[in-house]
Amino acid sequence: MTNPLGNSNRNRSGLPTPPSGWPVGSYPTYAEAQRAVDYLADNQFPVENVTIVGVDLMQVERVLYRLTWGKVLGGGVVSGAWLGLFIGLLLSMFSGGGAIIVGLVGGIIFGLLSTSIPYAATRGQRDFASTMQLVAGRYDVLCDPKAAEQARDMLARLAI
């Protein structure tokens, strides 16, 4: 996760750099690694010395459902109607009430075209919808060597 207060002082160049430090904990999920760092923070440990590193990265594609022409066209109508309604409402502030109907119809036509053309272009080669994620096999918590022993001792108490 990014720092909401700005960039870290550790990497001023902005270029990707490998993580450094000694491992003080290894966790099967990101939530557990985050919990460990939160525990360190709650106990006044200088967490600016800590890094969470995802190891053994995998790209995971989760299939959601089978695509059919009905689902594609239905999705196009719904998304186009919302877009058209929004544009119609904006236009109706400056013109008559007919702008809402024109926007709605135009949005539906746009939605149908913008979903059916790409689906037809696949020619049945990808008849499913999915999401992609980048996940790690494990999450290591690294710490600068000067504070690694203290972090390891504190995290050992967390595991009890």
Side-chain angles (χ1 to χ4, degrees):
M1 181 168 237
T2 59
N3 180 354
L5 302 176
N7 291 334
S8 168
N9 291 332
R10 287 190 266 184
N11 183 9
R12 291 186 184 269
S13 70
L15 298 174
T17 58
S20 62
W22 291 355
V24 294
S26 186
Y27 303 92
T29 66
Y30 178 77
E32 291 174 82
Q34 186 178 17
R35 180 176 166 253
V37 174
D38 188 50
Y39 174 80
L40 293 172
D42 290 346
N43 288 282
Q44 281 62 54
F45 183 82
V47 290
E48 59 273 4
N49 296 320
V50 175
T51 305
I52 299 174
V53 179
V55 180
D56 298 331
L57 296 180
M58 299 172 273
Q59 180 175 312
V60 178
E61 181 176 13
R62 299 191 196 284
V63 177
L64 301 173
Y65 54 86
R66 183 176 179 269
L67 282 177
T68 62
W69 272 108
K71 287 181 183 176
V72 170
L73 295 176
V77 167
V78 171
S79 64
W82 278 112
L83 177 64
L85 184 63
F86 175 72
I87 291 172
L89 285 171
L90 288 177
L91 291 176
S92 71
M93 293 180 357
F94 304 107
S95 63
I100 293 175
I101 301 298
V102 170
L104 190 61
V105 170
I108 290 172
I109 292 169
F110 176 78
L112 285 170
L113 291 174
S114 67
T115 56
S116 61
I117 292 172
Y119 181 67
T122 66
R123 293 190 176 109
Q125 294 297 310
R126 190 170 169 92
D127 283 340
F128 61 91
S130 64
T131 62
M132 291 276 219
Q133 280 183 306
L134 191 62
V135 296
R138 75 174 193 273
Y139 296 87
D140 291 343
V141 176
L142 305 181
C143 185
D144 287 346
K146 64 184 178 199
E149 188 174 343
Q150 179 189 5
R152 193 174 297 123
D153 292 343
M154 291 174 74
L155 291 176
R157 287 192 297 272
L158 174 64
I160 296 174

